[in-house]
Amino acid sequence: MIAIETQGLHKRFRGVNAVDGVDLSVPEGAIFGFLGPNGAGKTTTIRLLLGLLRPNRGRIALFGESLKNRRTKALKSVGVAFETPAHYEHLTGRENLDITRRLLKLDKSEIDRVLETVELKYVENRLVRKYSLGMRHRLGLARALLGRPKLLIFDEPTNGLDPVGIREMREFIKTLPERTGATVFVSSHHLAEIEQMASHVAVIHLGKIVFQGGMSELRGLHAPRLELACSDATAAASFLSGAGKPAETKGGRLVLELASADGAEREAAEINRDLVGAGFDIHHLAIAPWTLEELFLQLVGAKPTIRSDAA
Ligand code: ATP
């Protein structure tokens, strides 16, 4: 089953194509990372998915239900948390959740369930104004979990959190499909975060999807590089260039792109043999895959920087 499917989604604001022909296909049970730089169209896409904005063109279906024709039914299965969680400051965490619980006509036991899931039970009777930012974010997630939605949409869920809070949130989100059976759609511009939690990813840039697929497909877009340190790097670079393997010199090391991911080890061994055979001493040799950040920068048209550390 496909949790989210969009076809030719288009949203224009006064001359800006904020979302420009977006086709998304989010498989059920995935943690789907929706990545893009600032202004790429992430929030607009999410607002379209939630029926908060009407597209100029295109179609959206959630679990096979068309958002246009069966909005209430389609959105019944969705829980949402926005980047800046809005709570009633003068109420406790429990009281805040109770407002949503009543609106959704859920049993009181739902509050205990979600408070336990986000580990906020111990502060349930504390006023939200005394909550830390991390607790507020978790309370936002708890609200999203009320009623056991099949789809959870989180817009930049770690915004403003410190590194410990970011890690906690990431680890928590990672467990959600298994613990709740929900599909998670999470937008972010924190690349490392998505890299560590998503099973699938779509990259949006200037309103268009520039990549969509499994995390491993994204990594496989480019063959890895070979980094090596040897005696007389300049002479080694011209030797490799003569052998049809142009290398860049970076911080005293040579970096060259390998032909394919599959044959990387064999090719690295050949290069090593050739260099040693030509009289160079090799001090360091490592196959370095592209980081998600480098792949992302390539997808959005910026030049990646070559890492100097070995993978
Ligand atoms: P960020 O990471 O900064 O939140 P984003 O990827 O969520 O960015 P959007 O907020 O969807 O991007 O914005 C996409 C484009 O649409 C931007 O150029 C933005 O200025 C424009 N835009 C968004 N909302 C409106 C609006 N209500 N009126 C006019 N333009 C808008």
Side-chain angles (χ1 to χ4, degrees):
M1 174 68 109
I2 304 294
I4 302 176
E5 184 157 35
T6 74
Q7 286 170 345
L9 205 57
H10 194 101
K11 182 68 191 174
R12 192 175 171 82
F13 295 113
R14 281 176 260 116
V16 178
N17 288 320
V19 171
D20 193 2
V22 163
D23 297 331
L24 283 175
S25 181
V26 177
E28 191 169 6
I31 297 188
F32 193 96
F34 193 43
L35 268 176
N38 287 333
K42 301 183 295 295
T43 303
T44 306
T45 303
I46 288 178
R47 292 174 72 200
L48 290 166
L49 293 177
L50 296 170
L52 300 172
L53 280 176
R54 202 185 285 263
N56 296 100
R57 284 199 303 278
R59 286 192 309 205
I60 301 171
L62 304 180
F63 298 100
E65 298 286 349
S66 156
L67 196 60
K68 193 170 169 206
N69 303 332
R70 312 191 67 180
R71 191 167 179 271
T72 315
K73 178 137 193 263
L75 291 176
K76 239 187 172 151
S77 50
V78 186
V80 192
F82 285 105
E83 63 183 294
T84 322
H87 305 299
Y88 294 104
E89 299 281 313
H90 61 290
L91 298 180
T92 65
R94 173 172 275 277
E95 287 165 344
N96 267 276
L97 292 174
D98 200 42
I99 293 172
T100 312
R101 178 196 69 83
R102 282 167 198 247
L103 283 171
L104 297 174
K105 300 190 174 63
L106 301 170
D107 192 84
K108 274 201 162 156
S109 61
E110 259 302 271
I111 298 188
D112 294 305
R113 188 185 68 83
V114 297
L115 280 170
E116 267 156 30
T117 307
V118 302
E119 292 168 19
L120 279 185
K121 196 92 176 71
Y122 72 109
V123 283
E124 63 175 338
N125 293 319
R126 192 184 289 178
L127 296 180
V128 165
R129 70 162 169 267
K130 294 187 178 159
Y131 273 24
S132 69
L133 192 62
M135 288 175 184
R136 285 158 194 260
H137 274 259
R138 295 220 301 270
L139 187 60
L141 294 196
R143 189 163 46 204
L145 293 172
L146 282 169
R148 300 177 186 266
K150 287 199 291 179
L151 173 63
L152 293 163
I153 297 184
F154 301 144
D155 191 13
E156 308 260 3
T158 56
N159 243 15
L161 295 179
D162 63 20
V164 175
I166 289 176
R167 190 163 160 221
E168 269 179 23
M169 185 60 75
R170 186 181 70 220
E171 294 305 310
F172 175 71
I173 290 174
K174 264 164 83 169
T175 65
L176 282 173
E178 207 179 310
R179 283 162 75 182
T180 67
T183 304
V184 180
F185 182 89
V186 53
S187 82
S188 180
H189 51 247
H190 289 290
L191 306 153
E193 192 175 294
I194 291 295
E195 185 169 28
Q196 288 175 63
M197 74 180 159
S199 54
H200 294 72
V201 67
V203 179
I204 185 166
H205 180 49
L206 299 173
K208 292 185 184 343
I209 299 294
V210 292
F211 173 82
Q212 180 167 200
M215 216 60 196
S216 49
E217 283 170 68
L218 178 59
R219 284 186 222 286
L221 276 182
H222 291 278
R225 293 150 294 173
L226 184 69
E227 292 184 350
L228 59 93
C230 62
S231 57
D232 201 347
T234 315
S238 69
F239 171 82
L240 287 170
S241 189
K245 296 184 189 301
E248 265 187 72
T249 315
K250 225 35 190 189
R253 285 183 176 179
L254 295 179
V255 181
L256 62 151
E257 288 195 33
L258 297 172
S260 74
D262 293 345
E265 286 182 5
R266 191 175 19 83
E267 198 183 344
E270 267 169 27
I271 290 169
N272 185 32
R273 261 197 313 274
D274 291 349
L275 283 169
V276 171
F280 295 99
D281 291 334
I282 308 292
H283 311 136
H284 166 93
L285 185 107
I287 294 169
W290 295 91
T291 63
L292 182 61
E293 182 175 10
E294 290 164 330
L295 292 167
F296 174 77
L297 290 172
Q298 286 189 345
L299 287 167
V300 302
K303 190 169 168 25
T305 51
I306 290 178
R307 282 184 312 160
S308 55
D309 59 318

